[in-house]
Amino acid sequence: MTRLIIIGPPGSGKGTQAEHIAAHFNVPAISTGDIFRSNVREQTQLGDEATRFLDRGEFVPDDVTNAMVRERLADADANGGFLLDGYPRNTSQVEALDAMLAESGNHIDGVVLLLVDDDELTARMLNRAREQGRSDDTAEVIRRRLELYRTETAPVVDLYSERGIVADVDGSGTPAEVTDRAVAAVERLLER
Ligand code: ADP
């Protein structure tokens, strides 16, 4: 059973790495950002609730996000483990996730922390805005997302660090190099 989380600032390549790392460990990559975006596209009720937060780079309210993750983790494919991408994003979501997993006697086994410096992050996101046209990749919204990462998500890393389950991974280089580093780091964590 491999229950993993990937954490990294916006623009760190977290989504790409999540897919590759999850494939290696044969678990689904569950991206809250992707789930929100597809609900916005399909104009579901959840999408209608989330869209104004996404467009401004703000977090979707915890009750909405936690309920969505709880439902997703109940799907059969997540029984044997998962890699969460984009969740938990603040300390209250950590508590909610702990409680969800504890109901079935489970816990998080490892956290991949992707490290990329700020100039590189902004450059990557502006580039992605040109290529993919993500509505939240504008300079002002990017600034807000980076700020929320520092104020809200960095404390999440501290909580997991206290449990000794965080693997720092250098996010520079080619995507394949980063995946190799991340997989090796997670394997070291799981062996202990
Ligand atoms: P990135 O990390 O590159 O900014 P994501 O795809 O992870 O992008 O998230 C995009 C947006 O989706 C966030 O800015 C936020 O509005 C929303 N979102 C994703 N995950 C969460 C979460 N765990 N809690 C609240 N909002 C979230």
Side-chain angles (χ1 to χ4, degrees):
M1 247 33 92
T2 315
R3 296 187 178 83
L4 303 171
I5 296 171
I6 184 165
I7 300 180
S12 59
K14 173 171 69 73
T16 307
Q17 290 306 322
E19 294 291 339
H20 289 110
I21 298 165
H24 177 91
F25 290 101
N26 206 14
V27 294
I30 299 176
S31 158
T32 45
D34 281 353
I35 299 175
F36 283 132
R37 280 186 291 273
S38 72
N39 276 277
V40 168
R41 259 196 316 275
E42 288 157 25
Q43 298 182 323
T44 67
Q45 194 192 329
L46 175 64
D48 291 344
E49 280 176 68
T51 188
R52 63 199 171 100
F53 298 102
L54 265 77
D55 287 347
R56 293 185 208 143
E58 300 296 336
F59 289 173
V60 176
D62 286 345
D63 54 341
V64 175
T65 307
N66 291 333
M68 178 182 89
V69 171
R70 169 185 282 281
E71 261 188 47
R72 179 63 187 87
L73 292 184
D75 287 347
D77 67 334
N79 266 338
F82 50 76
L83 172 60
L84 283 169
D85 160 12
Y87 183 92
R89 233 180 177 87
N90 59 29
T91 55
S92 126
Q93 293 182 5
V94 173
E95 275 177 43
L97 176 62
D98 280 344
M100 278 177 230
L101 294 178
E103 284 169 21
S104 40
N106 295 320
H107 60 266
I108 294 298
D109 301 302
V111 178
V112 172
L113 176 62
L114 269 189
L115 304 168
V116 178
D117 67 48
D118 275 9
D119 292 346
E120 174 75 21
L121 292 177
T122 312
R124 286 191 195 175
M125 276 191 283
L126 291 172
N127 193 31
R128 182 170 73 187
R130 277 192 296 274
E131 286 171 0
Q132 300 177 8
R134 242 176 76 165
S135 62
D136 59 352
D137 278 343
T138 63
E140 191 193 336
V141 176
I142 288 171
R143 250 193 316 279
R144 178 62 182 151
R145 283 157 61 211
L146 283 169
E147 177 183 308
L148 278 179
Y149 180 79
R150 280 191 208 100
T151 56
E152 298 289 316
T153 309
V156 169
V157 177
D158 296 339
L159 284 181
Y160 288 119
S161 294
E162 285 165 18
R163 301 182 197 176
I165 58 169
V166 177
D168 286 1
V169 174
D170 173 4
S172 65
T174 66
E177 283 166 353
V178 179
T179 305
D180 288 348
R181 271 182 222 132
V183 164
V186 171
E187 275 169 351
R188 278 194 296 274
L189 275 181
L190 297 178
E191 274 163 17
R192 294 183 320 188

